Amino acid sequence: MINAGDAEGRKAPVYSLVIPIFNEEAVLPLLVRRITALLDKLDASAEAIFVDDGSRDTSVIFLRGMATADPRFRLIELSRNFGHQIAITAGMDAAAGDAVIVMDADLQDPPEVVLDLVAKWKEGYEIVYARRTKREGETLFKRATASLFYRALEQMTSVTIPRDVGDFRLVGRKALETFKQMPERDRFVRGMFGWMGFKQTAVSFERPERAAGETKYPFWKMLRLAVHGVIGFSDKPLRLALWLGLAISGFAALLGVYALFSWLFASGVVHGWTSTVVIISFLSGINLFMTGIIGLYVGRIHAEVKRRPLYVIDRLTGFEEAIAAMSN
Ligand code: UDP
Ligand code: MG
């Protein structure tokens, strides 16, 4: 299409696949086979960038071998586990293609769907996300919490973050360059792409089970991602604190009036220990909760002002001259 494989030397590929890897040794052989098949099927030159997010198993050894043997494979090794969203970012920073496709390593994002994403991109869409119509092999709990989260987030933000969409998507150069200019530390990648606009569309697919290995997203990690999503894209929780504080003050004022009247007109009002305890513990609970919400935002500011790099690269394999061009 735009600058498909030149005869002399390696030119920038048309497609870049970005695949984050965290302890995926169980699925890697199968993944590489499916990715190779996909690369052969694509209509123009393509590269596959694996980002090792501090794996503690043999994933890295396998991938180094792949990146050395096949010129289309590249490997970025981060210096430790930085988390899924940062790993994706590192891969996208290094991607040289005109269209960049982000997908999970566990084959829950089927490589064949990439062909559908590409078809939409050629129709002129800048961002094409893959929407899950059915999720297999995921617990009812995971599906319910995910669904609840997306619906709540929709209520809370002014940014359109498409429902039932993970990080499996294709983005064009314009969107990618925009993404690279977004420096925030706490990254909620799907929200960031929602924010930037452009012509966007969806392709539906049925999400299969993880091909091998275990989920790398236990409940607490999901919760953290959800909190990042809310804090990063909404200031509703802060306003909630304000309204709740106001409501409770109103209630307290009424109670004060009542107390005053009892003191004036009733006799022997010593009892009331229960209500005092209830009110104090209730109010201190609310206070702590609200301080916590504010703390989340302050913590985010703290992380931003440190201006540390988003990630640290330990080692690159298969990049050659592309290394110099890398930002961060
Ligand atoms: N992953 C990562 N760093 C992490 C956790 C996960 O790079 O700290 C990768 C993981 O290897 C996989 C993708 O992110 O390629 C999605 O993880 P997983 O499939 O375990 O999440 P789930 O599909 O269960 O939500
Ligand atoms: Mg998965």
Side-chain angles (χ1 to χ4, degrees):
M1 225 186 124
I2 298 159
N3 58 359
D6 247 3
E8 28 40 277
R10 257 190 25 210
K11 277 265 166 287
V14 175
Y15 304 110
S16 300
L17 305 178
V18 169
I19 307 167
I21 304 284
F22 181 53
N23 297 338
E24 298 285 7
E25 64 182 1
V27 77
L28 275 182
L30 184 60
L31 173 73
V32 164
R33 220 176 315 140
R34 295 271 295 272
I35 293 293
T36 311
L38 171 67
L39 293 179
D40 294 340
K41 248 187 261 169
L42 284 169
D43 59 347
S45 57
E47 62 177 356
I49 301 174
F50 295 87
V51 184
D52 174 64
D53 188 18
S55 295
R56 287 178 274 270
D57 63 3
T58 59
S59 299
V60 173
I61 298 168
F62 184 87
L63 288 170
R64 273 187 205 150
M66 280 310 303
T68 315
D70 188 328
R72 297 172 299 179
F73 283 68
R74 321 202 189 305
L75 173 64
I76 301 175
E77 291 171 43
L78 300 183
S79 61
R80 63 170 168 86
N81 180 247
F82 279 89
H84 180 208
Q85 304 286 300
I86 304 268
I88 291 176
T89 306
M92 288 202 274
D93 284 345
D98 297 316
V100 178
I101 300 116
V102 178
M103 54 197 293
D104 284 357
D106 57 3
L107 296 169
Q108 281 195 292
D109 301 338
E112 297 69 43
V113 177
V114 171
L115 300 174
D116 301 339
L117 300 179
V118 165
K120 284 282 177 203
W121 175 62
K122 289 192 169 165
E123 283 175 25
Y125 291 98
E126 186 64 14
I127 299 174
V128 190
Y129 41 83
R131 172 175 274 136
R132 311 149 173 174
T133 51
K134 215 167 104 191
R135 308 173 108 188
E136 271 169 31
E138 289 181 273
T139 58
L140 184 66
F141 180 72
K142 179 151 186 167
R143 276 178 290 148
T145 46
S147 145
L148 196 72
F149 169 65
Y150 285 117
R151 276 147 194 79
L153 194 62
E154 202 164 89
Q155 293 297 312
M156 286 169 116
T157 65
S158 47
V159 177
T160 329
I161 300 171
R163 279 186 196 181
D164 303 318
V165 167
D167 290 309
F168 186 20
R169 63 161 58 67
L170 177 151
V171 300
R173 253 296 135 189
K174 274 185 283 178
L176 187 74
E177 292 304 328
T178 312
F179 181 77
K180 287 206 230 167
Q181 281 168 21
M182 296 169 82
E184 58 236 69
R185 262 103 261 275
D186 282 334
R187 297 175 93 73
F188 187 60
V189 172
R190 54 201 82 162
M192 293 163 72
F193 281 112
W195 173 88
M196 66 176 72
F198 290 121
K199 245 181 112 186
Q200 310 204 358
T201 190
V203 160
S204 296
F205 76 108
E206 289 190 4
R207 195 158 213 236
E209 268 182 69
R210 194 174 230 291
E214 307 219 308
T215 175
K216 309 299 180 294
Y217 259 104
F219 178 68
W220 61 271
K221 265 198 195 172
M222 264 172 49
L223 194 65
R224 207 168 57 181
L225 183 69
V227 170
H228 281 338
V230 172
I231 303 290
F233 285 88
S234 168
D235 56 3
K236 282 251 171 81
L238 285 176
R239 272 179 283 152
L240 174 84
L242 193 71
W243 287 116
L244 207 62
L246 215 63
I248 290 171
S249 308
F251 177 69
L254 288 179
L255 209 66
V257 172
Y258 166 76
L260 208 64
F261 270 82
S262 325
W263 176 66
L264 285 176
F265 303 112
S267 54
V269 274
V270 185
H271 63 272
W273 178 84
T274 317
S275 58
T276 310
V277 167
V278 168
I279 289 164
I280 287 182
S281 51
F282 175 66
L283 287 186
S284 37
I286 294 280
N287 252 324
L288 271 180
F289 179 64
M290 293 308 156
T291 315
I293 289 183
I294 293 167
L296 285 176
Y297 285 90
V298 175
R300 212 178 149 96
I301 295 170
H302 177 66
E304 295 294 343
V305 295
K306 280 191 286 191
R307 305 196 134 267
R308 292 205 181 136
L310 278 178
Y311 51 85
V312 179
I313 293 176
D314 181 18
R315 185 167 160 170
L316 296 166
T317 315
F319 276 94
E320 285 116 277
E321 73 287 344
I323 297 168
M326 274 179 63
S327 53
N328 263 296

